[in-house]
Amino acid sequence: GKTLITHGADNTIRLWEMATGKELSQFKLPNTGANALVSADGKLAVCGAPNNTIKVWDVTEGKELRTITVPNQQNFAGAIGGAAGLALSPDGSALVFATTPEPSTLWIKRQSELAARPLPGTDHALYPSFSLDGRWIVFVAQGHVRKVKADGTSPITLSDSAVSPFGGAAWLDDGSIVYVGPRLTELSRVSSDGGRITKVFADPALIGFGIGSPTPLPAARGVLFIVCNSGCVSMALYVLDLRTGKGHRLLDEAGFPLR
């Protein structure tokens, strides 16, 4: 695409022109936590909020549409930033979120169901991401990349070389998964069916920094990701072209990539 959507530390969602780095528009999320994401069409924003809730906003109208309450005795795991604890299905009909206390667990809330329900086999899970057809969810848990069906069955381990808790995984349109690992400055790729793992990015200049929040680009052309120092006091937004294996710095202090 020609545009980029990010979520900054000031809880503002911004639309950027990728060719020039120019900010085109912005939408302020009031009183939210660190986690946020946008729908595939860019019309909905989902974000953590006070009082252990998750809110859905209409970005175009600037109004709140609904509030999802995290189940009793659970807390929304939204302290890491980006969309570490959130995932929205491609058609927008299902939301997955991670909860604490440890071990963190994934829950799924569908529009057609009154309450969220836990997904078995997702202990210690962060960075959930849906497959293109919405049937599977990939996540990172204690150094493993795993996937589980959206109905909570058939959990499968795809890789044991992921970095966590900071890091992440992205499910690409071609069915492959790009994740942070085996080092915090590297990205690897594995098929969603498992099998051979290929390192797709490693930059010695990033030693002392960390890669996080890989976000897929259309047609599996590449991924967006952030590079930040300890505590993510400062961060830069990068893009990796999977056709050439080259990474490029896009923006400084842009925030976490959302789409």
Side-chain angles (χ1 to χ4, degrees):
K2 297 180 179 180
T3 58
L4 166 70
I5 300 174
T6 63
H7 175 235
D10 59 354
N11 286 326
T12 300
I13 291 178
R14 291 179 170 87
L15 178 68
W16 305 83
E17 184 177 57
M18 290 187 68
T20 64
K22 178 183 178 181
E23 182 180 326
L24 301 177
S25 62
Q26 61 175 249
F27 173 69
K28 182 73 173 180
L29 293 170
N31 301 320
T32 68
N35 273 215
L37 54 78
V38 294
S39 58
D41 59 11
K43 295 180 180 180
L44 299 179
V46 182
C47 57
N51 302 318
N52 218 20
T53 59
I54 299 169
K55 293 185 180 293
V56 181
W57 291 81
D58 183 320
V59 176
T60 305
E61 299 292 333
K63 65 180 181 180
E64 180 183 331
L65 298 179
R66 56 187 176 273
T67 298
I68 299 169
T69 301
V70 175
N72 289 338
Q73 300 180 343
Q74 299 290 321
N75 295 301
F76 174 55
I80 295 180
L86 287 171
L88 191 65
S89 63
D91 64 1
S93 67
L95 174 71
V96 165
F97 57 92
T99 64
T100 57
E102 289 294 332
S104 56
T105 303
L106 295 183
W107 294 66
I108 187 167
K109 171 63 175 70
R110 299 185 183 276
Q111 285 185 349
S112 59
E113 298 174 349
L114 292 177
R117 53 184 175 82
L119 292 174
T122 61
D123 287 354
H124 304 284
L126 284 173
Y127 299 102
S129 177
F130 275 92
S131 60
L132 189 62
D133 60 10
R135 296 177 55 207
W136 289 87
I137 301 156
V138 68
F139 59 93
V140 177
Q142 292 189 312
H144 301 279
V145 177
R146 308 192 74 203
K147 71 173 185 178
V148 65
K149 284 187 176 180
D151 63 5
T153 61
S154 305
I156 299 170
T157 297
L158 303 174
S159 167
D160 60 0
S161 61
V163 174
S164 59
F166 190 72
W171 198 312
L172 277 62
D173 292 352
D174 66 353
S176 66
I177 293 164
V178 171
Y179 64 92
V180 181
R183 295 181 176 87
L184 197 52
T185 56
E186 298 174 340
L187 290 168
S188 295
R189 190 178 193 178
V190 65
S191 168
S192 56
D193 294 324
R196 182 170 176 261
I197 298 171
T198 305
K199 190 181 297 182
V200 293
F201 180 77
D203 187 349
L206 298 182
I207 293 176
F209 294 83
I211 291 176
S213 298
T215 302
L217 291 174
R221 297 195 309 268
V223 293
L224 299 165
F225 60 93
I226 62 163
V227 172
C228 63
N229 59 6
S230 180
C232 281
V233 176
S234 64
M235 68 176 68
L237 183 64
Y238 281 66
V239 61
L240 170 64
D241 187 333
L242 287 169
R243 296 166 295 186
T244 65
K246 294 182 178 180
H248 175 67
R249 190 173 182 139
L250 287 178
L251 296 167
D252 290 320
E253 308 303 331
F256 292 90
L258 299 182
R259 187 177 65 84

